[in-house]
Amino acid sequence: MVNDSNAESYLSPFSCSFCRGCFEHFLDGTYDFLNGFIASDGCLQPQRVYDNWKNYLKREDDFCYQFNTPRVYDEAALGMYRQELADLKHAVERWANYVTNDKLIEAIKVYNETRRLLRELYALRKGDAPLVTGEECLRITLASMSMRKDTFNELLSAFLEEARQREPITDYRARLMLIGSSCDSPEYLKIFEDKGGLFVTDVNCYGSRYLYDDVEIDEKDPLAGIARSYLARPVCGRMCNLHHELRDTILEMAKEYNVEGVVYTKMKNCDMWGGESFFLDDAIRDAGLSLLILEREEITANAGQVGIRAEAFVEMIETGGAD
Ligand code: SF4
């Protein structure tokens, strides 16, 4: 979480505060340890971060690359995406080292092991007496995206062993699910958990998207396997022809984790999740789930207000009221 006041000089006020926060990290030196930046156009906003970084901050030897991500899933998009990945691979090879198919397959296996371990972590949240909170789980998935995967896998294996010996959490009042725009703020989840809610699952860029099916290992063409695996996932509203699959994923996960209430957060100016309401809101309510929709900024300056909404939502679920 970061103050984005300097980034506001570079980015439009209609940009999302998550992207402004990322750019602020480039400005304040937090990302100085990086040797480059790869952006994709999953949504429009990271491209503005990339443009500004490239024009104003890029050092001579930094790796600098932007690639296209299709917004539909079909044969043509798959071919295009595989080519985009091949072009990225060649660019990396020109800048650093040759990337062999064997190395790619080795890396996919390590990443798939991370996914397997994270699925085990999520399994600890399924029963009536979960062993980890939503806040804790988000801290762990954030770590998985920030460190070497082989190191992370060792640490998570040890954590899982320890967590299985814990006293279960039984004093919660409502089982919650987080969906919506990028949320990398465990503190935001804590606001709800301090009021008696317990996040037992999510469909969040920084959470369960890592749990979707393993990346397929295509021995002859690993890039094609990566393209198929990443593009077929209904991870967010970016995919124009997978809206119904995203809705079904949310409802299936809600059932699997015995969710009672869905907290749908929309980052201000997030076109990806702003419009998704059209496909989701009625379906969530029709499934018998309570729904709380909240606009959010990267910095939770209104924690008190969110706390009041959280408390009312938890109480409504507990007493069986309608949303
Ligand atoms: S999907 Fe939404 S929250 Fe994520 S970067 Fe794009 S606009 Fe921001």
Side-chain angles (χ1 to χ4, degrees):
M1 208 183 315
V2 61
N3 183 324
D4 59 4
S5 55
N6 293 320
E8 277 180 350
S9 309
Y10 294 77
L11 297 167
S12 155
F14 296 107
S15 56
C16 83
S17 56
F18 172 76
C19 282
R20 287 201 304 276
C22 292
F23 191 62
E24 187 69 28
H25 278 324
F26 279 117
L27 291 171
D28 70 16
T30 305
Y31 289 156
D32 276 357
F33 67 96
L34 296 175
N35 298 112
F37 182 25
I38 303 172
S40 82
D41 57 351
C43 79
L44 285 176
Q45 313 233 13
Q47 289 176 299
R48 298 288 77 76
V49 175
Y50 174 85
D51 292 342
N52 279 285
W53 171 79
K54 189 177 169 194
N55 284 330
Y56 301 114
L57 304 173
K58 180 187 173 315
R59 296 162 301 202
E60 199 183 337
D61 295 332
D62 281 344
F63 182 70
C64 165
Y65 199 86
Q66 182 164 219
F67 72 100
N68 286 325
T69 313
R71 297 194 63 186
V72 293
Y73 177 67
D74 60 18
E75 279 307 310
L78 263 180
M80 178 271 224
Y81 188 43
R82 192 224 165 270
Q83 187 55 49
E84 285 290 323
L85 291 174
D87 292 347
L88 169 61
K89 176 174 169 288
H90 292 142
V92 170
E93 287 172 336
R94 282 195 297 277
W95 181 70
N97 260 327
Y98 190 61
V99 183
T100 62
N101 278 357
D102 285 349
K103 277 187 188 167
L104 274 177
I105 288 170
E106 204 181 301
I108 293 170
K109 286 179 181 167
V110 173
Y111 276 61
N112 281 346
E113 174 64 3
T114 302
R115 294 185 175 95
R116 187 189 69 74
L117 291 167
L118 288 174
R119 283 193 292 269
E120 282 192 25
L121 174 69
Y122 270 60
L124 300 182
R125 307 164 76 191
K126 274 188 190 172
D128 288 343
L131 295 168
V132 286
T133 65
E135 180 208 354
E136 193 174 26
C137 191
L138 180 54
R139 288 190 192 281
I140 292 170
T141 50
L142 285 170
S144 78
M145 296 171 196
S146 318
M147 10 183 343
R148 282 187 61 97
K149 291 286 181 289
D150 44 6
T151 309
F152 174 81
N153 290 349
E154 278 176 31
L155 292 171
L156 182 54
S157 299
F159 173 85
L160 289 170
E161 232 167 86
E162 179 248 293
R164 289 193 183 99
Q165 313 303 319
R166 289 176 169 188
E167 282 295 312
I169 305 166
T170 52
D171 60 349
Y172 61 90
R173 296 159 61 199
R175 295 175 69 88
L176 305 178
M177 175 181 197
L178 176 76
I179 66 168
S181 310
S182 315
C183 179
D184 62 349
S185 169
E187 297 81 9
Y188 192 82
L189 273 57
K190 188 171 185 304
I191 295 173
F192 286 79
E193 297 192 326
D194 283 348
K195 302 295 181 189
L198 186 70
F199 283 99
V200 291
T201 192
D202 63 80
V203 170
N204 173 23
C205 302
Y206 293 101
S208 72
R209 68 183 290 174
Y210 252 29
L211 306 178
Y212 288 98
D213 297 337
D214 285 355
V215 166
E216 166 197 340
I217 298 177
D218 181 330
E219 301 275 353
K220 284 195 187 131
D221 187 353
L223 290 180
I226 293 172
R228 278 193 295 272
S229 301
Y230 274 85
L231 212 54
R233 295 172 184 177
V235 286
C236 89
R238 184 189 88 237
M239 300 304 289
C240 296
N241 62 346
L242 294 180
H243 292 294
H244 296 302
E245 285 78 359
L246 174 59
R247 176 201 61 200
D248 293 347
T249 300
I250 290 169
L251 296 181
E252 278 161 24
M253 285 187 84
K255 200 167 174 189
E256 190 181 347
Y257 287 81
N258 200 15
V259 167
E260 296 167 292
V262 176
V263 179
Y264 179 178
T265 65
K266 300 178 182 185
M267 191 74 80
K268 196 171 175 187
N269 301 322
C270 173
D271 50 350
M272 293 297 111
W273 282 95
E276 211 58 22
S277 259
F278 178 78
F279 296 96
L280 296 180
D281 296 1
D282 287 346
I284 290 171
R285 291 192 180 104
D286 290 348
L289 299 162
S290 297
L291 175 64
L292 177 65
I293 301 175
L294 291 173
E295 191 174 76
R296 205 185 137 246
E297 292 276 25
E298 179 65 2
I299 300 170
T300 311
N302 60 342
Q305 278 177 317
V306 177
I308 292 168
R309 299 290 305 274
E311 186 154 26
F313 189 57
V314 167
E315 193 169 318
M316 185 195 70
I317 293 170
E318 192 180 30
T319 56
D323 60 353

